[in-house]
Amino acid sequence: MFYTRDRAAVGMALLSLVPLGQLRSVAPSKVLEKKLYTPQYRDVVVEVEQVEENGITFQLRNADTRTANVLRKILLSYVPTLAIDLVNIETNTSLMLDEELAYRLGLVPLQSSKVSSYAEECTCTDFCPLCSASFDLDITCIENIREVTTLDLLPREKNVIPVLVDEQPILLARLRKGQSLRFTAVAKRGLGTLHTKWSPVTLASFSCTDNSETGFTFYVETTGSLPPTEILETAYSILKSGILSC
């Protein structure tokens, strides 16, 4: 069976945006249409202060509060990454339900430096190497207890692997002796505006700089899927382009 955890969330998000009397007449494409946003200041400047492994602090200058809010939204929701979107579970004799396992896999951050090489829209019927990256897992516990972690996910594409948290893999499930787990997981390109699993950022906050109305200090924490500087560069280019998908 195939499981995808984002479509239901998208449906609920769309319902919250549409008045009850218009539910039957409004399609998702109409709700998620592109809108033009023109910043008040075209000479917005970003000055990086400090870069950490999974964080960055920078100054935003020559901008108003609205522009700062838009940049924060872009950082959270409009920088593309890769995340597991489909799970084909062949065998699962563990205590964890298939749906719980699929949901847990979807929230595993993946290294997404090569995300631009994967097609945003593809002509294939389901998924292919041009638009997705696949992982295989096949484990049978022969010990008393076997912990299944993201290190057990075998990538078919070597440039897409799960992120380590504090240099440790993420726990997926625990198996008892004789229990088995076998599945194929497929990662696809997406945006945090559709599901938080595609967001490269866990925290994005800002405050006014020295009571200035045109300067702001940002602090951003990342999931590790992209380098902090790459996230900022992508978000800044989207802001400067003036096009924001809502």
Side-chain angles (χ1 to χ4, degrees), residues 5-81:
R5 302 300 297 178
D6 64 301
R7 293 171 186 168
V10 171
M12 292 303 294
L14 294 176
L15 288 178
S16 65
L17 293 174
V18 182
L20 289 177
Q22 302 178 16
L23 286 179
R24 296 182 180 179
S25 60
V26 178
S29 60
K30 299 296 183 180
V31 177
L32 299 177
E33 62 184 359
K34 287 188 176 181
K35 296 181 180 179
L36 181 64
Y37 170 70
T38 305
Q40 182 176 349
Y41 301 99
R42 285 297 184 180
D43 54 347
V44 173
V45 176
V46 168
E47 299 177 1
V48 177
E49 288 189 343
Q50 183 178 1
V51 179
E52 303 169 1
E53 183 179 2
N54 292 319
I56 187 170
T57 303
F58 64 90
Q59 298 287 335
L60 180 69
R61 304 194 184 281
N62 303 330
D64 58 3
T65 305
R66 183 186 179 193
T67 304
N69 271 315
V70 170
L71 179 58
R72 178 180 178 273
K73 181 178 181 181
I74 294 173
L75 288 165
L76 288 167
S77 303
Y78 289 91
V79 177
T81 63

Side-chain angles (χ1 to χ4, degrees), residues 53-54 108-109 111 147-152 162-172 223:
E53 183 179 2
N54 292 319
V108 172
Q111 290 187 6
E147 290 190 345
V148 181
T149 70
T150 49
L151 288 180
D152 297 309
V163 172
L164 297 178
V165 179
D166 295 330
E167 300 184 354
Q168 297 295 322
I170 299 172
L171 178 66
L172 298 176
T223 63

Side-chain angles (χ1 to χ4, degrees), residues 14-16 19 25 28 34 53-54 87 95 111 129 137 148 156 161 195 215 217-218 236 238 242:
L14 294 176
L15 288 178
S16 65
S25 60
K34 287 188 176 181
E53 183 179 2
N54 292 319
V87 182
L95 297 179
Q111 290 187 6
L137 187 143
V148 181
R156 298 182 187 178
I161 59 175
H195 194 288
T217 301
F218 273 76
Y236 181 66
I238 295 174

